[in-house]
Amino acid sequence: MSSEVADVDLGEYKYGFHDEENPVIKIERGLNEDVIRQISAHKGEPEWMLDFRLEAYKIFLSKPMPNWGSDLSGIDFANIFYYLKPTELNARSWDDVPETIKNTFERLGIPEAERKFLAGVGAQYESEVIYHSLKKELEDQGILFLDTDQALLQHEDIFREYFGTIIPSADNKFSALNSAVWSGGSFIYVPPGVRIEQPLQAYFRINAENMGQFERTLIIVDEGAYVHYVEGCTAPTYSSDSLHSAVVEILVKKGGRCRYTTIQNWSNNVYNLVTKRAVAEEDATMEWVDGNLGSKVTMKYPAVILNGERAHGEILSIAFAGEGQHQDAGGKITHVAPNTTSVITSKSISKDGGRSSYRGLLRVNKEAEGSKSKVVCDALIIDPDSRTDTYPYINIMADQVDIGHEATVSKLGEEQIYYLMSRGLSEAEASALIVAGFVEPITKELPLEYAVELNRLIQLQMEGSVG
Amino acid sequence: MPDLVIRNLHANITDTDTEILKGIDLEMSKGEIHAIMGPNGSGKSTLSHVLMGHPGYEVTEGEVMFEGVNLLDMAADERSRAGLFLSFQYPFAVPGVTVANFIRMAVNAHRKGGPDGADNPVRIPEFRKQLMEAMEMLEIDKSMASRSLNDGFSGGEKKRFEILQMAMLKPRLAILDETDSGLDIDALRIVSGGINALMGPDMGTLIITHYQRILDYVQPDRIHVLVDGRIVRSGGAELAKELETTGYAEMANKEAVS
Ligand SMILES: Nc1ncnc2c1ncn2[C@@H]1O[C@H](COP(=O)(O)OP(=O)(O)OP(=O)(O)O)[C@@H](O)[C@H]1O
Ligand SMILES: [Mg+2]
């Protein structure tokens, strides 16, 4: 990998993630209909998408801010750029990136080129060659894996069939906002019976737009197919813009399986408000693995609607709340069809006055007889200033169901640390090891390099040296 | 000078006036095995923790020197790296961390303490070989290496794993706090065999116990009787037999009048 981001010639970048033909535009801060028209025109979108955006904008305006969960009063909608070209991101300077973030990159040993990208000052860093060979392999199997913007232009029919059907604009204020101004994200279609064992990583084709504030992801796993999609990274992702509001929609058809793994570590000025929902049809399986570090506020509750008989949903979530942070995370499962099963496992860590909340909704509809669900949420509190809460909402309307719920709160014990120190580990090593052990049920589900990075990051957090 | 010198050691529960150790004097050298016996609640575990550096106790008076260095200035991890080891009466569980990974981290922490202070991690094949040998010696099933440390372990298993850690860390002073309690008859023989195999001129062992049986396997050079935070009597191996007949109360009384 080249260490010089500036060397990457975007003109030669022919795999269709952004369209260099379009004239450079400059959209001002703030949001109004005109901004939305400009975004849509700039992307060369079909008329229906512009209408969709404008409609969503009206819904956004009409919905009040949520009055539950976290304090969102710090969001200033008028002071946000809703659309930035990657080239403009490039123009931002490395000098603007806060020292704390640079130090963390240093300590994590992130390569130079990647640092710039993660800090939002480089457009793209991963080798095109890797992506190119992967792309060939995927194409041969009929898999579509591309930028959501490009998917709209290149595969309009299938796109239009599913877009906005799982998470309608009106779902909540932030899904409405995303629907109005979305940009980037991934589009994946896996044809019937196709199983791709190697995880598809946004990493291979990550670019600034993809990591944007309002990305929109749509995944369709056709009958009997399988895909594991991995997005994000453990290194801190710096954004000078304070709002990240993504929407992820997934449909898993009969007998299919999808796993979606996210690790996010936004810089601590960011409000991270993400709506994620999947529908699992008959005998299908949907698994969300969701890791949240960093940000100022995160509100994220990946959801699975078990629509077909014997569908299975699983949500594994881990949150780390440090100083000044509130991680409000959890999951939602709706059992619609009979004999459906689900598991929610949530682990949170609060440190240095941070606050983590588990917020879960388990709903079993009247028709969902014979369903089973298990919810386990464990919280670990590192110091007495920190806080954890659980808000488990359970709504059961069916007979003959089997529902389990366990919650534990533990404090990082002086005695346990002493035990490890008596074997020669430093205090920081000892506490990091206990925390790593606590989250192990989740890290063991991550691709190896992510698990290693996550443990390393936890270690840094425990040393109190991460910005 | 003996390798371990404890002089007039007084210790309180941290941030309280509750004194548990009320002036302990004890000397021993590497190559020796000493035993401490005494009634429940007399302060044996407290002594072991004060030697190891438990933050829950504070030393109010006295000194502890090991190989000429003052242990009391050091945190528990530094004492470990200085050659101390404590086999806990009640070991803690570390869920999600395997025995093998934990011991490897501990071994690496010790290797880091080398002359240049730099990391010098053990090579994994070499580590595996050593771990397997130590597990064989203690007749521990290999599959246990990938279980979470002490998590769901039986009482006897925990004790055996304390000695496994000792075998891997090779301390120069080992304190074994009721390592024999909870071991079945065969396990006691196996674990004692392990302790004897590790003993040598470069290691001293301080055994805290309530029972004669372990002392039949691991024969002590001296026995100390601890009652109410003080050593009331010290003597040779025969003292343990005497205790079995007299009991602690009588012995403490005798000391008080003599
Ligand atoms: N952290 C503490 N808080 C309160 N009391 C304590 C604490 N630590 C020790 N003690 C008290 O100090 C005394 C000595 O305890 P210690 O555990 O050292 O006894 P012991 O000799 O090891 O007993 P046993 O043979 O039962 O293991 C006991 O009365 C105990 O209750
Ligand atoms: Mg004791």
Side-chain angles (χ1 to χ4, degrees):
Chain A
M1 188 189 319
S2 159
S3 64
E4 270 299 309
V5 168
D7 281 352
V8 176
D9 182 350
L10 289 175
E12 294 218 338
Y13 190 60
K14 44 184 170 297
Y15 302 108
F17 293 125
H18 23 79
D19 190 348
E20 287 304 304
E21 252 82 288
N22 285 324
V24 173
I25 56 157
K26 181 79 190 165
I27 294 178
E28 296 302 318
R29 287 174 201 272
L31 190 55
N32 53 49
E33 274 197 22
D34 195 44
V35 165
I36 291 167
R37 283 178 198 283
Q38 280 186 66
I39 293 173
S40 189
H42 179 71
K43 290 174 178 288
E45 289 176 347
E47 188 72 21
W48 69 267
M49 182 54 76
L50 174 62
D51 294 341
F52 177 91
R53 288 178 183 274
L54 292 172
E55 177 63 26
Y57 178 59
K58 285 198 197 109
I59 297 169
F60 166 71
L61 291 179
S62 71
K63 281 200 178 275
M65 286 292 268
N67 58 359
W68 49 275
S70 298
D71 177 10
L72 301 179
S73 59
I75 301 175
D76 180 2
F77 289 109
N79 197 28
I80 289 171
F81 284 110
Y82 288 87
Y83 183 64
L84 282 174
K85 285 283 291 171
T87 44
E88 292 169 34
L89 283 170
N90 262 332
R92 288 191 197 163
S93 160
W94 177 243
D95 295 337
D96 298 337
V97 178
E99 271 317 303
T100 48
I101 301 262
K102 288 182 185 168
N103 287 340
T104 306
F105 289 154
E106 187 71 50
R107 305 202 54 177
L108 282 170
I110 306 271
E112 200 68 26
E114 255 176 84
R115 291 184 199 184
K116 291 193 176 169
F117 172 76
L118 292 166
V121 297
Q124 177 273 339
Y125 68 90
E126 193 46 87
S127 156
E128 288 175 24
V129 180
I130 296 173
Y131 177 64
H132 187 58
S133 65
L134 176 73
K135 189 172 194 266
K136 175 84 177 60
E137 198 187 317
L138 298 181
E139 268 170 5
D140 290 348
Q141 301 179 79
I143 295 170
L144 305 176
F145 176 31
L146 68 173
D147 204 89
T148 311
D149 300 84
Q150 289 303 312
L152 169 60
L153 301 181
Q154 294 176 22
H155 307 280
E156 190 178 338
D157 290 348
I158 183 169
F159 187 101
R160 192 171 183 176
E161 185 180 345
Y162 297 103
F163 184 83
T165 58
I166 292 165
I167 303 177
S169 306
D171 187 76
N172 66 74
K173 190 169 180 79
F174 290 94
S175 64
L177 177 63
N178 175 282
S179 299
V181 300
W182 72 269
S183 209
S186 292
F187 175 87
I188 301 174
Y189 170 76
V190 191
V194 173
R195 305 178 61 82
I196 167 124
E197 297 305 330
Q198 171 192 10
L200 292 186
Q201 306 201 20
Y203 218 58
F204 281 129
R205 34 135 310 184
I206 214 158
N207 61 35
E209 202 166 25
N210 180 259
M211 291 288 283
Q213 302 154 253
F214 302 105
E215 81 246 31
R216 178 99 190 188
T217 288
L218 175 58
I219 300 177
I220 299 129
V221 179
D222 217 319
E223 294 188 4
Y226 168 68
V227 70
H228 180 187
Y229 178 69
V230 184
E231 67 156 1
C233 50
T234 51
T237 312
Y238 177 66
S239 166
S240 58
D241 300 296
S242 59
L243 179 59
H244 173 248
S245 186
V247 165
V248 180
E249 299 180 279
I250 298 178
L251 175 62
V252 192
K253 294 197 180 178
K254 186 175 172 181
R257 177 173 162 217
C258 177
R259 169 174 282 214
Y260 190 107
T261 299
T262 309
I263 299 288
Q264 283 182 321
N265 186 9
W266 291 99
S267 49
N268 57 15
N269 55 325
V270 171
Y271 288 85
N272 184 31
L273 313 169
V274 175
T275 310
K276 288 179 161 176
R277 187 176 303 155
V279 169
E281 294 183 347
E282 194 178 319
D283 292 309
T285 295
M286 175 66 211
E287 299 156 320
W288 295 106
V289 181
D290 204 70
N292 298 296
L293 298 106
S295 83
K296 179 185 177 74
V297 166
T298 289
M299 288 174 72
K300 200 200 279 180
Y301 326 97
V304 186
I305 298 172
L306 300 167
N307 248 356
E309 202 161 341
R310 293 173 303 277
H312 177 70
E314 202 144 327
I315 301 170
L316 287 169
S317 93
I318 155 175
F320 194 116
E323 187 181 352
Q325 298 178 334
H326 184 188
Q327 303 282 4
D328 198 87
K332 291 188 211 173
I333 303 261
T334 308
H335 292 257
V336 178
N339 302 314
T340 45
T341 51
S342 66
V343 180
I344 300 180
T345 309
S346 156
K347 298 249 174 189
S348 73
I349 299 147
S350 312
K351 179 173 184 280
D352 296 330
R355 176 180 173 198
S356 58
S357 313
Y358 166 77
R359 193 178 299 276
L361 175 64
L362 174 66
R363 194 186 145 100
V364 183
N365 287 359
K366 200 167 181 315
E367 298 72 28
E369 274 184 11
S371 292
K372 277 188 193 154
S373 178
K374 187 172 157 206
V375 179
V376 179
C377 48
D378 299 323
L380 180 65
I381 300 183
I382 304 295
D383 46 47
D385 299 336
S386 303
R387 173 176 167 190
T388 184
D389 333 84
T390 46
Y391 304 98
Y393 302 100
I394 298 182
N395 187 355
I396 315 281
M397 286 161 286
D399 296 327
Q400 292 174 326
V401 293
D402 177 357
I403 308 293
H405 185 271
E406 290 165 27
T408 65
V409 176
S410 40
K411 296 197 166 70
L412 188 62
E414 188 184 56
E415 300 242 23
Q416 199 180 15
I417 291 175
Y418 158 65
Y419 178 64
L420 302 197
M421 286 176 73
S422 80
R423 299 327 188 209
L425 271 54
S426 71
E427 188 171 352
E429 286 169 335
S431 40
L433 191 63
I434 293 167
V435 173
F438 173 77
V439 300
E440 188 268 352
I442 312 244
T443 43
K444 73 166 191 253
E445 297 296 329
L446 295 174
L448 184 65
E449 66 272 26
Y450 281 75
V452 170
E453 283 176 30
L454 189 68
N455 281 334
R456 178 93 184 96
L457 195 72
I458 287 171
Q459 198 178 333
L460 291 180
Q461 299 263 18
M462 295 308 294
E463 285 168 14
S465 56
V466 172
Chain B
M1 191 163 95
D3 294 306
L4 175 70
V5 179
I6 303 174
R7 255 188 225 122
N8 190 29
L9 183 66
H10 290 253
N12 285 5
I13 296 169
T14 301
D15 296 329
T16 73
D17 295 330
T18 313
E19 186 171 65
I20 312 277
L21 302 184
K22 302 172 178 171
I24 300 226
D25 290 278
L26 194 153
E27 294 185 347
M28 67 179 282
S29 282
K30 287 184 284 192
E32 293 177 358
I33 296 172
H34 287 215
I36 296 184
M37 305 184 82
N40 295 131
S42 57
K44 304 180 298 297
S45 294
T46 303
L47 174 62
S48 70
H49 288 308
V50 168
L51 293 177
M52 194 68 239
H54 192 306
Y57 303 99
E58 57 192 5
V59 172
T60 52
E61 223 185 308
E63 62 174 10
V64 179
M65 305 289 284
F66 179 64
E67 295 179 337
V69 289
N70 177 6
L71 287 185
L72 298 181
D73 286 345
M74 300 179 174
D77 57 324
E78 296 169 302
R79 296 185 200 198
S80 166
R81 297 195 297 266
L84 245 66
F85 181 86
L86 171 59
S87 168
F88 280 57
Q89 185 176 0
Y90 304 111
F92 285 85
V94 192
V97 179
T98 64
V99 169
N101 276 341
F102 176 67
I103 297 181
R104 189 156 60 91
M105 278 192 76
V107 166
N108 285 338
H110 279 249
R111 292 167 66 106
K112 213 188 307 194
D116 54 353
D119 284 6
N120 176 26
V122 56
R123 288 177 52 249
I124 290 181
E126 186 188 327
F127 171 78
R128 280 195 67 81
K129 187 166 162 284
Q130 288 174 9
L131 183 65
M132 289 307 148
E133 281 169 9
M135 289 177 77
E136 245 161 65
M137 174 178 81
L138 294 166
E139 300 186 22
I140 295 171
D141 193 277
K142 281 197 177 86
S143 65
M144 295 280 288
S146 47
R147 278 185 55 184
S148 290
L149 182 67
N150 293 333
D151 193 19
F153 284 19
S154 76
E157 283 170 343
K158 285 182 189 171
K159 297 304 176 69
R160 230 187 258 227
F161 277 84
E162 292 292 283
I163 300 306
L164 176 66
Q165 293 177 55
M166 175 171 110
M168 294 299 290
L169 292 176
K170 302 189 175 49
R172 297 194 298 282
L173 175 62
I175 306 161
L176 311 180
D177 189 358
E178 294 199 27
T179 299
D180 53 340
S181 306
L183 292 179
D184 67 46
I185 299 164
D186 292 346
L188 181 64
R189 182 177 41 77
I190 294 159
V191 167
S192 302
I195 297 167
N196 283 330
L198 296 167
M199 262 306 285
D202 291 328
M203 184 171 123
T205 302
L206 190 59
I207 298 180
I208 296 171
T209 183
H210 289 295
Y211 307 108
Q212 170 65 37
R213 192 182 280 273
I214 187 173
L215 303 180
D216 290 341
Y217 291 112
V218 187
Q219 286 165 4
D221 299 292
R222 286 192 69 74
I223 291 184
H224 310 275
V225 180
L226 185 73
V227 177
D228 191 24
R230 289 185 189 88
I231 290 179
V232 297
R233 192 132 165 235
S234 298
E238 70 288 349
L239 195 54
K241 305 237 160 50
E242 189 187 327
L243 272 173
E244 299 241 305
T245 49
T246 57
Y248 293 117
E250 202 174 318
M251 185 173 289
N253 281 340
K254 260 197 230 161
E255 287 306 303
V257 290
S258 64

